[in-house]
Amino acid sequence: MKKIRKTLYPFLFFLLIFAISWDYSMAAAGKGAQPALLKPTPNQEEAARYIAQYLLQNHYRKVPVNDSLAQQIFNRYLDNLDNNRSYFTAPEVEKLRQEVGVHLDDDFVSGNPARGFAIYNLFLKRAREKMVYMKSSLQTAQFDFSAPETLELERSKTAPWPADQAGLHELWRKELKYQYLSMKYSGEKGKNIRTELLKSFDNRIKIFNQQKPEDAFQAYMLAVTSSFDPHTDYFSPDEFENFQIDMSRSLEGIGAKLQMENEYTVVNEIIPGGPAFKSNRLKKGDKIVGVGQGDKGEIIDVIGWRINDVVKKIRGPKGTVVRLKVLPASQAGKGPARIIRLVRATVDLQEQAAQKKIIYKNGRKIGVIVLPSFYLDFEGERQQKQNYTSTTKDVTRIINELKRENVEGIIVDLRENGGGSLEEAVNVTGLFTGKGPVVQVSNALGGKMVLRDENYPMLYSGPLVVLVNRYSASASEIFAAAIQDYGRGLVVGDRTFGKGTVQSIVTIQRPFSMFMKQSDLGQLKLTIAKFYRISGGSTQHIGVLPDIVLPSLIDPEVVGEDTYTSSLPWTTVSRTPYLPSGTVSREEIASLKKQFASQSARNKLYQSYLADLATLNRIRQRKSVSLQEKSFEAENKALKEIQDRWGDANIETGKKKKTDFILQQAAGVLNDLVALKARPAIPAAVPAARPAVRQVVPVR
């Protein structure tokens, strides 16, 4: 940690503020005088001190407070503010690194967010300058869309900050050109592109001019907390109110949890039973860039908005329409935005419940249990109500129904299942594996606990497939990993998300406070424990690797724990004693894998799917996008055709009947497993009879 005499701090900070103050004309930022510099409030300074204490004392990861932490906070903060490296220049970044970055560890411990606010003020200054430049250029620009230019996207991974102001302006010019093309091909017909972009830029300037200390504090605290791990976060009192509404899932809206990433509102979770879940179009990782009311209301650009303001736009009375302009995560930020129409509604708890399907594959009847989440009525259970809702009770009922219908195998569909109740994940596992250990939990102090199913004996012992994808996380991964470790069935699909950590919400409290509200400093969500498989490996970071891969359209570079720079690593603990069921051996898995490869090689539809996925991946992996209109249009056409053709792997067969393509492939794997188990066992080879050996007794 840098040791600097306290008497120097005020002087150095004065120099920093002086260095980043601006003197450009009032016209350069639009209308009126410049807003005052943002400064932390006394409550925020106090909250910052408590946040540091909670993180250092209670977080699972024990992070040393030193220069390394200072640089992590600095780098993450600049990456959050300027992810595309289009606001700051390289000399500015280096100056900030030397004058500010090296002190952020000291500021963290002392709870002093002032330097964080100084960086935020510089960001606001440059953001206004950029919007003014974009407006001015748009009004006079004569775009040449035949020139073979490109724009690098996701520049934080591919490009340095511009060397100087001229470099910034050149980048802004290309961004303006890209925004023009994107709007032209976004599907919003009849729009005057220049008029709409000017509205957007004016709106952004207005937002930048209305920033409050809370905005700067939230941005800086995000850099601090996410330096410990990506699931640790600070909620201001207002933000926590929204968080509680999301958790109660009672407010009428679209049924999605949102979060801020850089300047974008990003879908963090799709709530089972809500309008977004039913539409099957909005996905985790999608960026919401515009919101329109009703079928004809103007779609308002919401880039750069506060998350609370975006949420207010999206929420509304039951039965009303909201239109979202979305950049799909599956396209890696490339291509035009899509317009998604949703009808607001309350979350239907029945839609969250486990559901049953019957499908046929090669004449065999196969049962499907669709689990959108692992749910539990905690209050009903606590009060010992007879009919309280639980995943285990519903899955028990469905298994019994499927057994009465004489299914020959069961698929447990955990695609899109983001987790839920750990208790339910353990109990549902027991229905397929029998009583025994399911998952290990390691806490921040190094203690380890084994969670077991002690209440539910094995209810189903037949052929089993667990279907997962990249959105299967947390409790879903615990279930899939246990099935795999017990050798109880096959895990099929994509590699899972890789979230193997446990979070807890704590209220930031003043000690011995009798007269002030405890919640006025906010809440902290922090990681306190980590999951481990009963075989010893973690589900963290790596997730659960399927026995047979069925790739989806989900972009693994955008969705997954390993996409976060601060995610906790994959580690191991000792194996807990358990008795594998031996239902599916490694040799049988290898045989089924080989059989699937052979069958899919002859399946024209599957090969067409793989070809489209390869095209999608090639587009995703390009570091830049073409600004030449013909190339831009061709790439966007290819993206749209793939999305229309497969869209979450639901394809049209026959008279516009939708078929779940991936589920059908999983059913094929289960069918092969059933056939394998139905084959008569080959008796062990009986050794040939050995000729009798006559014993010769010598005569003496």
Side-chain angles (χ1 to χ4, degrees):
M1 192 185 300
K2 298 291 181 185
K3 302 296 182 182
I4 298 179
R5 291 176 59 187
K6 292 183 179 179
T7 54
L8 289 179
Y9 273 121
F11 178 68
L12 289 173
F13 186 65
F14 170 79
L15 289 179
L16 174 65
I17 293 294
F18 181 79
I20 67 170
S21 64
W22 53 88
D23 57 3
Y24 59 96
S25 66
M26 287 166 52
K31 301 176 182 179
Q34 293 301 311
L37 293 173
L38 300 178
K39 298 178 181 178
T41 66
N43 259 18
Q44 288 166 352
E45 291 174 334
E46 188 175 8
R49 290 193 293 273
Y50 286 120
I51 288 170
Q53 292 175 19
Y54 281 118
L55 289 174
L56 293 174
Q57 293 172 8
N58 302 313
H59 196 278
Y60 184 86
R61 172 181 265 163
K62 300 307 176 188
V63 177
V65 181
N66 53 24
D67 291 349
S68 176
L69 176 60
Q71 287 304 312
Q72 283 186 52
I73 295 173
F74 177 78
N75 291 338
R76 195 157 280 112
Y77 192 29
L78 255 63
D79 191 48
N80 291 344
L81 293 177
D82 191 11
N83 181 257
N84 237 21
R85 301 194 171 182
S86 65
Y87 290 123
F88 301 130
T89 64
E92 285 174 331
V93 171
E94 190 54 35
K95 185 177 182 181
L96 287 172
R97 190 182 303 278
Q98 296 301 322
E99 296 182 357
V100 179
V102 295
H103 304 304
L104 293 184
D105 54 341
D106 295 285
D107 290 351
F108 167 66
V109 173
S110 63
N112 179 13
R115 286 190 179 84
F117 273 66
I119 294 176
Y120 197 81
N121 284 321
L122 175 58
F123 158 72
L124 289 178
K125 168 185 180 293
R126 191 53 49 74
R128 295 185 189 101
E129 290 176 352
K130 179 177 179 179
M131 290 303 103
V132 169
Y133 176 92
M134 300 288 246
K135 279 187 63 179
S136 175
S137 298
L138 182 63
Q139 289 167 333
T140 59
Q142 296 296 322
F143 295 117
D144 179 7
F145 290 119
S146 63
E149 286 188 309
T150 61
L151 172 68
E152 289 184 275
L153 299 175
E154 297 293 333
R155 285 170 45 84
S156 64
K157 300 176 182 177
T158 62
W161 275 275
D164 50 30
Q165 199 79 9
L168 271 181
H169 288 176
E170 173 62 8
L171 181 58
W172 295 349
R173 181 189 69 81
K174 288 186 175 183
E175 284 187 18
L176 179 60
K177 200 172 177 180
Y178 176 68
Q179 289 184 36
Y180 192 99
L181 282 171
S182 294
M183 183 162 284
K184 183 174 181 178
Y185 291 97
S186 68
E188 293 185 80
K189 297 179 180 178
K191 296 284 187 181
N192 184 302
I193 297 174
R194 290 181 190 264
T195 301
E196 293 302 312
L197 285 175
L198 284 172
K199 279 184 187 177
S200 173
F201 299 148
D202 280 334
N203 183 48
R204 298 282 295 282
I205 291 173
K206 182 180 178 182
I207 290 169
F208 292 137
N209 288 341
Q210 293 176 344
Q211 293 287 285
K212 301 174 182 177
E214 180 180 332
D215 298 304
F217 188 66
Q218 286 289 144
Y220 181 55
M221 282 300 108
L222 175 62
V224 170
T225 57
S226 61
S227 292
F228 282 72
D229 91 300
H231 304 291
T232 294
D233 200 4
Y234 166 74
F235 299 105
S236 69
D238 286 344
E239 275 203 328
F240 189 68
E241 181 181 349
N242 275 319
F243 178 79
Q244 287 178 309
I245 290 172
D246 282 338
M247 292 302 289
S248 68
R249 303 179 175 184
S250 60
L251 198 74
E252 292 167 355
I254 64 170
K257 291 185 184 180
L258 309 177
Q259 66 182 30
M260 286 300 297
E261 287 184 13
N262 309 312
E263 296 176 272
Y264 291 101
T265 300
V266 179
V267 177
N268 184 47
E269 181 186 340
I270 301 296
I271 299 172
F277 176 81
K278 293 177 184 178
S279 78
N280 204 29
R281 295 186 66 196
L282 194 67
K283 298 294 179 182
K284 181 181 174 72
D286 286 354
K287 296 176 180 176
I288 299 174
V289 296
V291 180
Q293 306 301 325
D295 284 314
K296 297 182 179 179
E298 178 186 4
I299 293 184
I300 305 297
D301 183 293
V302 296
I303 298 175
W305 282 34
R306 297 184 188 94
I307 186 71
N308 290 353
D309 294 333
V310 178
V311 168
K312 288 174 185 176
K313 280 284 183 187
I314 294 175
R315 286 178 184 154
K318 178 181 178 180
T320 58
V321 171
V322 62
R323 288 166 18 256
L324 305 180
K325 187 175 181 180
V326 170
L327 296 174
S330 62
Q331 296 178 185
K334 297 181 176 66
R338 307 289 186 208
I339 307 300
I340 297 177
R341 180 186 184 274
L342 298 171
V343 178
R344 297 180 178 102
T346 52
V347 173
D348 186 346
L349 296 179
Q350 291 302 313
E351 292 285 344
Q352 292 187 38
Q355 296 179 3
K356 176 187 70 173
K357 294 180 183 178
I358 298 287
I359 60 177
Y360 293 87
K361 195 70 176 180
N362 297 343
R364 285 196 171 93
K365 184 187 286 189
I366 292 173
V368 181
I369 302 174
V370 181
L371 277 182
S373 67
F374 287 92
Y375 49 88
L376 173 65
D377 178 2
F378 292 98
E379 188 62 21
E381 182 190 43
R382 187 184 67 81
Q383 296 178 8
Q384 297 183 334
K385 291 183 178 179
Q386 187 174 0
N387 296 318
Y388 71 88
T389 304
S390 106
T391 315
T392 310
K393 290 168 66 175
D394 289 343
V395 172
T396 298
R397 171 181 52 79
I398 290 174
I399 290 175
N400 285 327
E401 290 174 358
L402 292 175
K403 287 165 71 174
R404 285 195 294 269
E405 295 187 54
N406 298 314
V407 298
E408 296 184 64
I410 288 178
I411 297 173
V412 178
D413 189 351
L414 297 180
R415 290 175 298 172
E416 322 290 318
N417 185 323
S421 166
L422 177 59
E423 175 186 346
E424 290 301 299
V426 170
N427 290 338
V428 172
T429 301
L431 298 178
F432 296 93
T433 62
K435 295 181 180 180
V438 174
V439 65
Q440 305 183 79
V441 183
S442 169
N443 63 30
L445 300 177
K448 191 176 74 171
M449 175 174 59
V450 179
L451 301 183
R452 304 170 178 273
D453 169 43
E454 301 289 1
N455 303 313
Y456 296 89
M458 184 185 293
L459 186 61
Y460 176 74
S461 59
L464 176 67
V465 160
V466 179
L467 181 57
V468 296
N469 67 7
R470 194 68 164 150
Y471 292 125
S472 304
S474 195
S476 290
E477 296 175 285
I478 289 170
F479 176 87
I483 296 298
Q484 204 172 52
D485 287 342
Y486 274 104
R488 178 60 192 84
L490 272 75
V491 176
V492 172
D494 258 347
R495 178 162 66 100
T496 61
F497 191 90
K499 184 183 181 294
T501 55
V502 185
Q503 284 70 45
S504 177
I505 300 286
V506 295
T507 299
I508 300 175
Q509 295 184 334
R510 297 180 178 90
F512 312 115
S513 175
M514 297 177 61
F515 304 105
M516 298 192 71
K517 287 167 50 179
Q518 299 294 344
S519 61
D520 61 353
L521 297 181
Q523 277 77 17
L524 188 65
K525 174 165 71 82
L526 77 165
T527 297
I528 58 170
K530 194 172 179 181
F531 292 129
Y532 288 90
R533 301 168 68 138
I534 53 177
S535 57
S538 176
T539 55
Q540 170 63 16
H541 200 80
I542 290 178
V544 178
L545 304 179
D547 299 306
I548 294 178
V549 175
L550 291 175
S552 72
L553 299 184
I554 302 167
D555 187 355
E557 298 298 319
V558 175
V559 177
E561 187 77 8
D562 57 337
T563 65
Y564 301 121
T565 57
S566 61
S567 63
L568 297 182
W570 180 86
T571 51
T572 62
V573 295
S574 58
R575 178 185 187 274
T576 194
Y578 70 98
L579 184 62
S581 69
T583 306
V584 185
S585 68
R586 291 182 180 179
E587 292 75 19
E588 288 173 322
I589 292 174
S591 173
L592 291 166
K593 191 172 182 179
K594 185 177 179 181
Q595 189 173 350
F596 174 77
S598 175
Q599 292 170 348
S600 61
R602 300 191 301 271
N603 185 329
K604 291 182 179 180
L605 188 61
Y606 190 76
Q607 291 306 309
S608 173
Y609 174 74
L610 292 182
D612 277 348
L613 185 56
T615 299
L616 181 60
N617 283 331
R618 281 196 298 272
I619 294 173
R620 287 168 175 166
Q621 289 164 8
R622 289 177 195 153
K623 304 301 181 185
S624 59
V625 63
S626 175
L627 299 179
Q628 192 174 33
E629 186 163 6
K630 287 184 68 175
S631 299
F632 186 91
E633 183 180 10
E635 187 171 280
N636 289 320
K637 183 180 178 182
L639 286 169
K640 186 178 186 305
E641 286 177 349
I642 291 171
Q643 194 66 36
D644 291 345
R645 194 153 43 235
W646 300 105
D648 298 316
N650 286 308
I651 60 171
E652 288 186 6
T653 57
K655 297 180 179 180
K656 294 188 176 180
K657 181 182 179 181
K658 290 286 185 180
T659 299
D660 188 332
F661 177 70
I662 295 296
L663 180 60
Q664 287 295 322
Q665 301 306 305
V669 172
L670 182 55
N671 185 71
D672 293 340
L673 175 60
V674 173
L676 180 65
K677 290 297 183 182
R679 292 174 193 165
I682 300 174
V686 179
R690 298 171 64 185
V693 178
R694 182 182 297 173
Q695 186 175 12
V696 179
V697 180
V699 178
R700 294 185 184 271

